[in-house]
Structures are given as structure tokens and as C-alpha cells.
């Protein structure tokens, strides 16, 4: 049985980060809404309570009875998790006189406390809450303080329960990983045997059990998630897996052929469908970004469905959905927002059972699994690319001619990033074809041609992003190459907007 830590989510922005840190300790964990503890699950070895945007006094604050959990498992409350445990046992939590946001340093640590093993006075911790525990209830003992917060951490006597007011999961808590490791390894006694190899082994066995001799169909996008899902399934069920890769005509230059070749090299059973004519005709004259997305989304579902129906006896639809897509996130109003699916509408339309072998993995874990499966690095470390492809990078209406111009400019930019060793330093990059013509001069002739914008961003999760500070020499070369080699473009701009308030894509 795969042992696991349960992280109860009280709505903090850093809950997923706690999950990633625990996984980095080679320990499997699941993030669940604060009130959905899996009582009776014998694989649970410990529980972490996350922070929250609420104060314990807020009417809407998430509250739950922890008695049964505390009786059976080691518990670590973080920030709100710590305040809530203290408050609900009779301690006082009050707004801090000076809100302690950001850096603080531990000024005292209880000798021999197992949670703080190997952590020394002076260690930097990251605070981010307006409240502080001003007195702990009977039976709770303070085990660490900072200069301005006496009860920075406490332990409940006679049980393996701790609360810390700071955030060990964030990078700025210097010994945060050590603290989490003390909890996970020493206190919860994790075997720390969760890694890509063990994941592949257990998942392949589970897929064989789940799918038996059933036939499965999977939509490939060229992206890392669907590709890794396909290779994993191929290892489990071989030829019973059929993959479909739809070319909607809005892919990068040569992408369809290159990716098909990679897929075939991996031994996948892939059907490539060139549906570009259908998409160009449906998109003709459409300028509204949301309409473009809808047309492409629906067109994709129709083409996929038609191809899948040519196969006989298919029982399952496999998707490369990953963990961040599945976590039931808590909105501030307390209602739960359920996952989205990679291919909207497909499972409902096709009436197939859904198989999502990566639904437990974070993105970096998907990559580690792909590498362990021997997939080529160019598939594993590809930049994200939007499902509607270049359609959302051509502002205004779409024509095959505009796509061809954009593909050329984009290929120069992306190949340049690779040649200059910059590709892996940016999160995502691409070129946008603007609905603007400008005057230029080439040789003795006046030109009146298109302008393009280059976009390259750094990010960790696409939720926020900064424009990449690319070297001037590189930009000069790319700009020169685009203007000289791509017919119809005479001006290149660089987008220096961060997200927020801009977004990564222009549409
Ligand atoms: P934005 O533009 O919202 O993009 O900052 C965030 C990330 O999502 C990608 N993106 C999409 N992916 N279908 C997709 O599959 C879409 O319609 C879509 N729109 C944006 C974008 O490329 C970036 O990685």
C-alpha cells in the first residue's frame, strides 16, 4: 500500500507548495478540502493543516472537528492551521500589533524538540498572517519564538501534534524543508520511497488491472502531459492503446511531422489527422478571441470523436490531466470548484470511461516520469503551447497565409532561443502577428508591411509571469533574421508586460 500524508486545505495560496515539498521528500501526499478527511484509509501516516485567507474570527472561516484526526495521526498545523488548533482548544488568537509579514528569525527553540531537530536559533522563517497566537491553551507548550512572536511554534503535550505560525513550505523559510523533513520522516515515519520509478511500477500494474484487455483511445497534443500519459499507457497495455493527434493547422512550423516522428519512435500507435482545411474554413472571418477558442475546441472534439468511432470496441478515453487540474480548490466563499478537463466536453460526448494516469502528479513529476520512461528531452522540456495554437497569436481574422508568415517568424525566434542556450531559461516564448501595418524601407523601396511582437516570459506556473530579460545581441539577431527572411514583416517589437496585469497570450 502506498503510504501517504494528507494535506487538509483551508484555502491558502501555498497549499500546493506544501504538497510539492512533501513529494520532494519522496513521500506521496494528497491535498483534500479541509472537511474531507478520508477516515478509514489505512495508508495515511500523517496530516498537515494548511494556512487560510481567513482569520479564525471570520464568520466564514473554515472550521472542522480535529479530535478524531489528532487521536490517530501526527498533525502539523501551518499558519491558520496552527492558529485554528490553538483557538479551538481555548487559546487566544489576536490581530498582531504589528502585522508580521515576511522575514523573521527564530530567537528561541526548545531543546531537543524533534520538529526542530538540526535547526538553529537565528534561522529565517517566513510569516504571512495578520493574526498571532497570544496565549496557548492548557496542554500546549511553546517550542519556538521569534523576536516579536512568542508562540511561533507549539507542541501539544502527549501527542505528536505541532503548530507553526510561519510557512515552512516557502523558499524564504531557510530551514523549512528540514522542518518538513523532520515531520515527514521522523515523526510520521515515512519510508520515503515515492519516486518516478516507483510511480511507473505501481501505475503500470494498476493500469493493467484497471483496463484488462479493454481498448483505450487518447488525444495527443504534442505537449508533455498527453505524451507522457501515452507512453505510460503504452507500457501498460501496448497495442490496445490508440492515440489520435489532430492537426488543426495552427501548430508551429513542421510541428505535426516532427512530433509524429517522435511518437512513432516511441513505439506509439498513432493516427495523425490533418484537419486544417476544416478549421481554416470554420475560422474564416472570425476575429473574436473567445469565438476562435470555441470553434477550435468544438472542432477538435468533433474530429476526435469521428476518428475514435472508426475504431472498434473502445471503452476508455485517456487524458493527460495532471494534479493541479484535479485539486478541488476552495474558493473564498467556501464552495468547491471542481477540476477542469484538458479536452472540454470530450468525455461527456463520447460516453467512454475516463482514464487519467497522471492525475496524481505535479508538472515537474510528469517530466521526471517522462525521463524515466526514456522519452526524448525535446518532448519532455517543451514550452507550454496553448491548445488553440497560433490562432490566439494572430490578432484579427485567420488565413492560411497569415499562419504561414507567423510560423516562419516563430521558428526563427524559437530556434534562436535554442541556439543561444536560452530556450530552457524561459517558461514560454512565441511570436504574435499584429493587425498593424507600418512603413519601412528596404533597399530603395518603401514597404508597408506587417509588424510582429516577440513574447518571452519567465514563470513557475503561468499564474504570474515576468517578461524575459533576453540579451540585446540575441534580440538584434532575431529581429534582423525575421525582417530579412520572413516576407511580409518589416517591424519587430518586444513585449515587456508582466502578468498581471497583462496575460501571457495576447488573446
Ligand atoms: P494566459 O494568456 O492566460 O496564459 O496568461 C496562461 C497559460 O495558459 C496557456 N493558454 C492556453 N492553453 N488553451 C490552452 O490549452 C487556451 O485556450 C489557452 N490560453 C492560454 C498559455 O499559453 C499560458 O501557458
Amino acid at each position: 500500500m502506498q503510504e501517504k500524508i494528507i494535506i487538509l486545505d483551508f484555502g491558502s495560496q501555498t497549499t500546493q507548495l506544501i504538497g510539492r515539498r512533501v513529494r520532494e521528500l519522496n513521500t506521496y501526499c494528497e491535498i483534500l478540502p479541509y472537511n474531507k478527511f478520508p477516515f478509514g484509509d489505512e495508508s495515511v501516516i500523517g496530516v498537515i493543516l494548511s494556512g487560510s485567507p481567513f482569520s479564525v474570527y471570520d464568520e466564514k472561516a473554515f472550521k472542522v472537528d480535529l479530535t478524531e484526526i489528532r487521536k490517530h495521526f501526527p498533525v502539523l498545523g501551518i499558519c491558520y492551521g496552527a492558529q485554528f488548533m490553538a483557538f479551538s482548544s481555548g487559546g487566544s488568537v489576536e490581530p498582531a500589533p504589528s502585522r508580521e509579514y515576511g522575514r523573521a528569525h527564530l530567537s528561541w527553540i526548545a531543546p531537543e524538540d524533534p520538529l526542530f531537530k538540526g535547526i538553529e536559533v537565528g534561522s529565517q522563517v517566513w510569516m504571512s498572517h495578520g493574526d498571532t497566537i497570544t496565549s496557548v491553551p492548557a496542554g500546549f507548550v511553546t517550542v519556538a519564538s521569534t523576536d516579536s512572536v512568542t508562540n511561533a511554534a507549539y507542541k501539544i503535550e502527549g501527542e505528536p501534534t505541532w503548530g507553526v505560525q510561519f510557512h515552512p513550505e516557502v523558499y524564504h523559510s531557510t530551514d523549512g524543508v528540514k522542518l518538513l523533513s523532520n515531520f515527514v520522516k521522523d515523526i510520521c515515519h515515512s519510508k520515503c520511497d515515492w519516486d518516478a520509478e516507483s510511480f511507473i511500477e505501481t501505475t503500470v500494474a494498476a493500469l493493467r488491472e484497471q483496463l484488462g484487455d479493454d481498448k483505450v483511445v487518447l488525444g495527443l497534443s504534442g505537449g508533455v502531459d498527453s505524451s507522457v500519459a501515452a507512453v505510460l499507457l503504452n507500457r501498460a497495455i501496448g497495442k490496445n492503446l490508440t492515440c489520435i493527434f489532430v492537426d488543426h493547422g495552427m501548430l508551429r512550423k513542421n510541428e505535426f511531422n516532427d512530433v509524429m516522428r517522435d511518437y512513432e519512435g516511441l513505439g506509439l500507435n498513432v493516427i495523425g489527422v490533418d484537419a486544417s482545411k476544416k478549421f481554416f474554413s470554420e475560422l474564416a472571418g472570425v476575429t473574436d478571441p473567445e469565438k476562435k477558442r470555441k470553434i477550435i475546441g468544438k472542432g477538435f472534439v468533433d474530429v476526435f470523436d469521428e476518428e475514435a468511432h472508426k475504431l472498434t470496441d473502445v471503452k476508455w478515453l485517456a487524458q493527460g490531466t495532471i494534479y493541479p487540474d484535479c485539486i478541488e480548490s476552495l474558493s473564498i466563499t467556501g464552495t468547491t470548484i471542481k477540476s477542469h478537463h484538458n479536452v472540454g466536453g470530450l468525455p461527456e460526448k463520447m460516453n467512454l470511461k475516463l482514464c487519467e494516469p497522471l492525475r496524481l502528479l505535479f508538472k515537474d513529476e510528469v517530466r521526471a516520469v517522462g525521463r524515466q520512461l526514456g522519452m526524448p528531452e525535446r518532448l519532455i522540456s517543451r514550452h507550454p503551447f496553448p491548445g488553440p495554437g497560433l490562432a490566439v497569436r494572430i490578432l484579427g481574422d485567420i488565413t492560411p497565409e497569415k499562419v504561414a508568415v507567423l510560423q516562419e517568424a516563430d521558428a526563427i525566434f524559437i530556434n534562436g532561443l535554442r541556439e543561444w542556450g536560452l530556450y530552457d531559461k524561459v517558461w514560454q516564448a512565441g511570436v504574435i502577428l499584429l493587425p498593424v501595418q507600418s512603413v519601412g524601407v528596404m533597399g530603395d523601396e518603401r514597404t508597408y508591411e506587417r509588424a510582429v511582437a516577440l513574447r518571452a516570459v519567465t514563470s513557475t506556473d503561468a499564474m504570474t509571469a515576468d517578461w524575459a530579460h533576453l540579451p540585446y545581441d540575441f534580440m538584434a539577431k532575431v529581429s534582423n533574421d525575421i525582417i530579412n527572411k520572413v516576407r511580409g514583416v518589416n517591424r519587430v517589437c518586444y513585449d515587456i508586460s508582466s502578468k498581471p496585469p497583462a496575460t501571457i497570450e495576447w488573446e
Side-chain angles (χ1 to χ4, degrees), residues 297-445:
K298 180 174 181 307
F300 178 87
V301 168
D302 290 346
V303 173
F304 188 91
D305 190 37
E306 194 184 320
E307 286 303 318
H309 271 99
K310 294 181 191 160
L311 308 167
T312 45
D313 272 352
V314 175
K315 294 221 167 63
W316 297 83
L317 171 71
Q319 290 192 162
T321 319
I322 67 170
Y323 200 42
D325 302 334
C326 305
I327 298 174
E328 281 186 62
S329 58
L330 293 166
S331 81
I332 207 101
T333 53
T335 45
T336 54
I337 306 163
K338 189 54 194 162
S339 61
H340 72 267
H341 286 291
N342 275 357
V343 186
L346 203 48
E348 297 78 8
K349 169 151 185 165
M350 296 186 68
N351 198 18
L352 294 173
K353 289 186 273 188
L354 202 55
C355 169
E356 297 177 316
L358 307 179
R359 59 177 294 119
L360 301 175
L361 302 188
F362 289 108
K363 191 89 178 182
D364 46 351
E365 294 173 322
V366 173
R367 295 204 162 103
V369 167
R371 287 193 182 100
Q372 185 73 31
L373 287 166
M375 294 171 63
E377 197 56 34
R378 63 177 176 276
L379 264 185
I380 301 288
S381 55
R382 300 183 112 207
H383 288 167
F385 187 65
L390 301 181
V392 290
R393 294 186 182 165
I394 294 174
L395 273 52
D397 70 318
I398 294 163
T399 62
E401 179 257 337
K402 285 185 189 172
V403 171
V405 169
L406 183 54
Q407 281 177 331
E408 291 305 320
D410 179 79
I412 290 171
F413 187 33
I414 299 298
N415 292 339
L417 286 167
R418 286 193 194 281
E419 280 159 24
W420 285 58
L422 296 165
Y423 184 86
D424 292 328
K425 298 206 166 89
V426 304
W427 166 267
Q428 190 170 358
V431 180
I432 296 96
L433 188 67
L434 305 180
V436 168
Q437 279 178 287
S438 79
V439 174
V441 54
M442 270 191 169
D444 291 333
E445 285 193 29

Side-chain angles (χ1 to χ4, degrees), residues 247-260:
D247 182 1
H248 52 34
M250 315 289 149
L251 297 173
R252 294 193 138 117
K253 185 178 175 186
N254 298 334
E255 178 155 30
F256 187 67
N257 291 335
D258 290 352
V259 172
M260 279 296 283

